[in-house]
Amino acid sequence: MTSFETHRRRVHDASLPVRARHAALRTCVVCFAPYGFRATYHHLCRSARIPADLRSDPASLIRAVEELHAARGLWVADEAAFMARRRQEKAVGRRHITSDGGWRDRGRGPAGSLAYCPDPERHPTEPLPTVLGRILRSRVPAASSTCRACGSDAGTTGWSCGHYLHRLCARCGVSLSSQETDADRAVLAAREERWKEVWRRAV
C-alpha cells in the first residue's frame, strides 16, 4: 500500500479529476481511521462540508485531508515517543509494558481504530485533532466507564450492527464494549443501504 502522504498530495493536486482526488482521500482514511473507516469518513464529510457534487467544492477535499493529517500527526508523534521510551526501558531490563491507564492498555479497536464508532453517523463532533489529543492524553482505569474520546461518563446506549451488540457512549457514540450476537440479516441489509447514502453524501 502506498503511503498516507502520497495520497494526501494527490488530494491537493488540482490537475487531477475531482473523483481521483476523492479516491485519494478515501485511501488516506483507509490508512488512518480513528473512528473506523465509515465513521471517520462521515465525520470528515460533515466537518469539511464535502458536497454530494464534488465539483461544486473541490477545496472541501483539502479541508478534510488536512484535518485527518493534523490528527495523524499527533498519533505519529505519540508513537515515536512511545517507541523511544520502550527502547530506554528495554535497555535497563524492563521487557514488559507497564499499565498506566492509557489507550494502549486496551489496544486499538477494529481496523486499527483508536475510538471505534460502529454507527457511522454517531461519532464525536469536535475536530479530529481535539479528540485524538484527548485520547492520547487519557488515563482511564480499566474498570472505569469514562469515555476516552469525549472525557465524560454520560452513561451508555445499546446499538446493534447485525453481528454485535455494542455499548456506546451515550454522548459521542464510541463503542465502550461489544458482545457477539446471532446475525440479523434485516439489520445488516438496512445498514448497507444506509452506508451507500452516507458514502454518496446523500444524508
Side-chain angles (χ1 to χ4, degrees):
M1 179 183 291
T2 50
S3 72
F4 180 97
E5 288 299 333
T6 296
H7 287 278
R8 176 179 169 236
R9 288 192 293 271
R10 287 177 62 82
V11 175
H12 279 264
D13 190 347
S15 69
L16 294 175
V18 70
R19 289 189 178 277
R21 296 170 70 186
H22 179 256
L25 173 63
R26 176 192 182 279
T27 302
C28 287
V29 178
V30 169
C31 292
F32 184 69
Y35 302 150
F37 175 81
R38 294 184 175 189
T40 302
Y41 174 79
H42 182 263
H43 168 84
L44 293 173
C45 287
R46 291 293 178 87
S47 177
R49 304 180 303 283
I50 302 176
D53 182 359
L54 296 170
R55 295 169 299 179
S56 68
D57 187 9
S60 64
L61 300 175
I62 296 175
R63 294 193 295 270
V65 80
E66 286 308 300
E67 180 179 348
L68 188 65
H69 171 64
R72 182 175 178 272
L74 296 176
W75 173 75
V76 168
D78 185 78
E79 285 288 280
F82 173 75
M83 288 188 288
R85 185 170 69 250
R86 286 297 297 143
R87 282 194 294 270
Q88 292 175 348
E89 291 172 347
K90 289 178 180 179
V92 296
R94 291 176 57 188
R95 309 301 297 178
H96 300 289
I97 299 175
T98 303
S99 174
D100 64 356
W103 68 269
R104 288 186 179 85
D105 287 355
R106 295 186 181 180
R108 298 173 72 170
S113 56
L114 296 176
Y116 182 54
C117 300
D119 180 351
E121 297 176 84
R122 290 190 64 190
H123 46 73
T125 57
E126 295 172 287
L128 279 175
T130 300
V131 178
L132 259 291
R134 186 181 297 125
I135 292 169
L136 296 176
R137 294 188 303 270
S138 67
R139 293 295 180 268
V140 179
S144 174
S145 57
T146 299
C147 174
R148 295 183 190 278
C150 66
S152 74
D153 187 357
T156 62
T157 182
W159 188 83
S160 174
C161 68
H163 287 298
Y164 291 88
L165 178 63
H166 291 270
R167 187 171 62 91
L168 306 182
C169 171
R171 180 179 179 185
C172 71
V174 168
S175 178
L176 302 179
S177 65
S178 63
Q179 180 179 354
E180 190 170 7
T181 62
D182 293 335
D184 187 324
R185 295 186 181 279
V187 170
L188 291 169
R191 283 193 67 221
E192 287 307 307
E193 286 304 312
R194 186 66 176 177
W195 167 242
K196 291 175 184 177
E197 294 181 335
V198 170
W199 174 250
R200 296 193 299 264
R201 301 164 305 285
V203 293

